[in-house]
Amino acid sequence: MRQRRDAALRSLWLMLVASIALPGLLFCYAAFANYRTAYTLADERIDRGLDVASEQVLRVFQSINVIFDSVEQITQGRTNRSLRASEAELSERLKQFTLALPDIASIWILDDQSDAMVSSLFFPLPAAANAPDRAYLKEQLATDAGVHIGDVLRINMTGHVIFPVSKRRSDSSGTFAGFTEISVSPQVFERFFAPLAARSSASFALIRADGEILARYPLPATTGVRLDASTAFIQLIARSPNGGKYATVSNVDQRERRFSARKLAGFPLYVTSSLETSDIVQGWLWYMAGHLIFGIPATLFFVVLILLTMQRTSALFAEAERREMLEASLRQSQKMESVGQLTGGVAHDFNNLLTIIIGNLQMALRRVSDDKVKTWLANAQQGAERASELTRRLLAFSRNQPLNPRSIDANQLVAGMSDLIDRTLGETISVETVRSGGLWQTEADSAELESAILNLAINARDAMPAGGKLTIETGNAELDEHYCETAEGVKPGQYVMISVTDTGSGMPGDVIEKAFEPFFTTKPAGSGTGLGLSQVYGFVKQSGGHIRIYSEVGEGTTVKIYLPRSFAPAKPVPVSPPAEKIPTGSQETVLVVEDDPDVRAYVAETLSNLNYRVKQAADAEAAINILDDASPIDLLLTDVVMPGMNGRVLADRAMQRRPGLKVLYMTGYSRNAIVHQGRLDPGVSLIQKPFSQNVLAKRIRKILTDA
């Protein structure tokens, strides 16, 4: 088997090498061929730009020749004196030439001493128009009938950069009488070159045969820029006067370029066009990258296919393990949800029964005088109250207990519980609190949070029968997406963490998995109900938080509670008022709406004993009929969950009929009528079943006396 496996692996490795090497060789050959093609295409692009640029430059100089001919016609046979005498007329005509040909900056008629006689720019001519730098033209044009193209100059009078184009002018006898000068702005050519070079590295230039640069783009022409004999351009035209191709580092922008130069027919001028070598190479690289877009995925496909084949077994096992974990998590979540729904429904029925039992036991205790009977009734009442606590825990686990959350300071809450926890745990257990500085606020029901911390402390005490240490710690926590992937229903974000750590016996993994299930306990029979951690779990989940247990056998246990951060300012923890006498009524009228006849009878009798007038209704329809009467009603005391119309809808309709009517809800299982997302709706007053006569009396009195 090992030999067959090794042989298969060798074959796969050979296939892997071939799937990489063969496409690589083909790509190298294609790259070499396309590299040569890229330069061929670049030369064609350069030549196309050169064709257009040369044609435009030639058109400009042909227009200059036309102007020379026109000026010669209007000055032919006339002496310099007569030209000066007609300065106004001639200046206007020269101006018309420049307007007709916008490529021309200005036209000048000069005498044989290089002094200006007529200009298209000025009339009359200022003294500064006779520039001494024109004197060189006399020698060059006195014996030369051709067109002379001068250097790039900056004119002091206008500040413009131009290069002059001049031609000899003779009188009627053929004697040299001066010359005509046309000023050409390099910007004329630069504006035309700009769109040819748009969005590319192309450059264009107009160069005189001796190397003087007259115009260029993208860098504008300046005075005194001339290519010397060592440059590739001068060497090219020395070999090939009509132009050609060459590659060199540009003297203008210091970048390596590929040039094409062409002589302008009839003029000692050359037009050049170029592209950066890096631009050509970059285009080639992008072209080859296009091949890689198809080639690399195909190659990677074969490589990945081979690698996946080699790793298939381990991947299958990993996938199977992951699915098993997800299925177990889903089953646990579904089980907890189902148990929660069941316990919530059971708690509702039990609360109605316990309301009847506790209420009637209290009334019986007030009416009997026999001490022995009183003891029996008191014991029965204690049992009923313990049952009430069990149903409260069931509701907490099922997340159907109405909460009254507010922004609290967990450090302040933990500090306030220190004495209570010390007394509860006893002298054999030392308690340490570690309160974090800069702790965020959190939003939770302070009473339920205190109960949750106390439950965790009691569980820790039971895990340390011989004594030990309990540490309560607070801190800020950031739960990221990676962490939340491992926790069902947890959202990433900022949380306030409260941890309870003990040095007890710890828990194995199978116990941790079941720790939050209701009625699950590892304690001996009669030592616990198995609802403590269930209550904590339900409260934390209903508050939008998260809870996790960390434990090892023999190493102790840490339970961490994460509650969402609140940005509202903290409110002080309310202090319970001292016990006081049961308040009674002043003959106010209370409408009691309850579908359970025994609960309704108990509530009605209790209110009558408290000096209230009582009206009773078995359902919402009967209550509406009573409300439609004209008799006064001061308070509506209604159950929430009833057949047909629920208590919330009844209260809304009652307040439509009697604005300002005060309402108190009573319920053993709130569902969604007055509680949404675990929070009591704003402005809602609620008393939870089962309730005692004292609690009912104080609550009704408070509502009636509040403004």
Coordinates of all heavy atoms in Angstrom, one line a residue, residues 575-584 610 612 692-703 705-706:
V575 N -32.5 52.3 46.0 CA -32.5 51.7 47.4 C -33.9 51.4 47.8 O -34.8 52.2 47.7 CB -31.8 52.6 48.4 CG1 -31.8 52.0 49.7 CG2 -30.4 53.0 47.9
S576 N -34.1 50.1 48.3 CA -35.4 49.7 48.7 C -35.9 50.5 49.9 O -35.1 50.7 50.9 CB -35.4 48.2 49.0 OG -35.1 47.5 47.9
P577 N -37.1 51.1 49.9 CA -37.5 51.8 51.1 C -37.8 51.0 52.3 O -38.1 49.7 52.1 CB -38.8 52.5 50.5 CG -39.3 51.5 49.5 CD -38.1 51.0 48.9
P578 N -37.7 51.5 53.5 CA -38.0 50.7 54.7 C -39.4 50.2 54.7 O -40.3 50.8 54.1 CB -37.7 51.6 55.8 CG -37.8 53.0 55.2 CD -37.4 52.9 53.8
A579 N -39.7 49.1 55.4 CA -41.0 48.6 55.5 C -42.0 49.6 56.2 O -41.6 50.3 57.1 CB -41.0 47.3 56.3
E580 N -43.2 49.6 55.7 CA -44.1 50.6 56.2 C -45.5 49.9 56.2 O -45.7 48.8 55.7 CB -44.1 51.9 55.4 CG -44.4 51.7 54.0 CD -44.3 52.9 53.2 OE1 -43.7 53.9 53.7 OE2 -44.9 53.0 52.1
K581 N -46.5 50.6 56.8 CA -47.8 50.1 56.9 C -48.5 49.9 55.6 O -48.2 50.7 54.7 CB -48.6 51.0 57.8 CG -50.0 50.5 58.1 CD -50.8 51.5 58.9 CE -52.2 51.1 59.2 NZ -52.9 52.1 60.0
I582 N -49.3 48.9 55.5 CA -50.0 48.6 54.2 C -50.9 49.8 53.9 O -51.8 50.1 54.7 CB -50.7 47.3 54.2 CG1 -49.8 46.1 54.5 CG2 -51.5 47.1 52.9 CD1 -50.5 44.8 54.6
P583 N -50.8 50.4 52.7 CA -51.6 51.6 52.4 C -53.0 51.1 52.0 O -53.2 50.0 51.4 CB -50.9 52.3 51.2 CG -50.2 51.2 50.6 CD -49.7 50.2 51.7
T584 N -54.0 51.8 52.3 CA -55.4 51.5 52.0 C -56.0 52.5 51.0 O -55.4 53.6 50.9 CB -56.3 51.3 53.2 OG1 -56.2 52.6 53.9 CG2 -55.8 50.2 54.1
L610 N -59.1 46.4 51.3 CA -58.2 47.6 51.3 C -59.0 48.9 51.1 O -58.4 49.9 50.8 CB -57.2 47.5 50.2 CG -56.1 46.3 50.5 CD1 -55.2 46.2 49.2 CD2 -55.3 46.6 51.7
Y612 N -61.4 49.7 48.7 CA -61.6 50.1 47.3 C -63.0 49.6 46.9 O -63.4 48.5 47.3 CB -60.5 49.6 46.4 CG -59.2 50.2 46.6 CD1 -58.2 49.5 47.3 CD2 -58.9 51.4 46.0 CE1 -56.9 50.0 47.5 CE2 -57.6 52.0 46.2 CZ -56.6 51.3 46.9 OH -55.4 51.8 47.1
S692 N -48.4 39.4 46.5 CA -49.0 39.4 47.9 C -49.9 40.6 48.0 O -49.9 41.5 47.2 CB -48.0 39.4 48.9 OG -47.2 40.6 48.9
Q693 N -50.7 40.6 49.1 CA -51.6 41.7 49.4 C -50.8 43.0 49.6 O -51.2 44.1 49.1 CB -52.5 41.4 50.6 CG -53.4 42.6 51.0 CD -54.1 42.3 52.3 OE1 -53.8 41.4 53.0 NE2 -55.2 43.1 52.6
N694 N -49.7 42.9 50.2 CA -48.9 44.1 50.5 C -48.4 44.7 49.2 O -48.4 45.9 49.0 CB -47.6 43.7 51.4 CG -48.1 43.3 52.7 OD1 -49.2 43.3 53.1 ND2 -47.1 42.8 53.5
V695 N -47.8 43.8 48.3 CA -47.3 44.3 47.0 C -48.4 45.0 46.2 O -48.2 46.0 45.6 CB -46.6 43.2 46.3 CG1 -46.2 43.6 44.9 CG2 -45.4 42.7 47.0
L696 N -49.6 44.3 46.1 CA -50.7 44.8 45.4 C -51.2 46.2 45.9 O -51.4 47.1 45.2 CB -51.8 43.8 45.3 CG -53.1 44.3 44.6 CD1 -52.8 44.5 43.1 CD2 -54.2 43.2 44.7
A697 N -51.3 46.3 47.2 CA -51.7 47.5 47.9 C -50.8 48.7 47.6 O -51.2 49.8 47.3 CB -51.9 47.3 49.4
K698 N -49.5 48.4 47.7 CA -48.5 49.5 47.5 C -48.5 49.9 46.1 O -48.4 51.1 45.8 CB -47.1 49.0 48.0 CG -47.0 48.9 49.5 CD -45.6 48.3 49.8 CE -45.5 48.1 51.3 NZ -44.1 47.6 51.7
R699 N -48.6 49.0 45.2 CA -48.5 49.3 43.7 C -49.7 50.1 43.3 O -49.6 51.1 42.6 CB -48.4 48.0 42.9 CG -47.9 48.3 41.5 CD -46.5 48.9 41.6 NE -46.1 49.4 40.3 CZ -45.5 48.6 39.4 NH1 -45.3 47.3 39.7 NH2 -45.1 49.1 38.2
I700 N -50.9 49.7 43.7 CA -52.1 50.5 43.3 C -52.1 51.9 44.0 O -52.4 52.9 43.3 CB -53.4 49.7 43.8 CG1 -53.5 48.4 42.9 CG2 -54.6 50.6 43.7 CD1 -54.7 47.6 43.2
R701 N -51.7 51.9 45.2 CA -51.7 53.2 45.9 C -50.7 54.2 45.2 O -51.0 55.4 45.0 CB -51.2 53.0 47.4 CG -51.5 54.2 48.2 CD -53.0 54.4 48.5 NE -53.5 55.6 47.8 CZ -54.8 55.7 47.4 NH1 -55.7 54.8 47.7 NH2 -55.2 56.8 46.8
K702 N -49.5 53.7 44.8 CA -48.5 54.5 44.1 C -49.1 55.0 42.8 O -48.9 56.2 42.4 CB -47.3 53.7 43.8 CG -46.1 54.5 43.2 CD -44.9 53.6 43.1 CE -43.7 54.5 42.5 NZ -44.0 55.1 41.3
I703 N -49.8 54.2 42.0 CA -50.3 54.6 40.7 C -51.4 55.6 40.9 O -51.4 56.6 40.1 CB -50.8 53.4 39.9 CG1 -49.6 52.4 39.5 CG2 -51.6 53.8 38.7 CD1 -50.1 51.1 38.9
T705 N -51.8 57.7 43.4 CA -51.3 59.0 43.9 C -50.4 59.7 43.0 O -50.2 60.9 43.2 CB -50.6 58.7 45.3 OG1 -49.6 57.8 45.1 CG2 -51.7 58.3 46.3
D706 N -49.7 59.0 42.1 CA -48.8 59.7 41.1 C -49.6 60.6 40.2 O -50.7 60.3 39.8 CB -48.0 58.7 40.3 CG -46.9 58.0 41.1 OD1 -46.6 58.5 42.2 OD2 -46.4 57.0 40.7

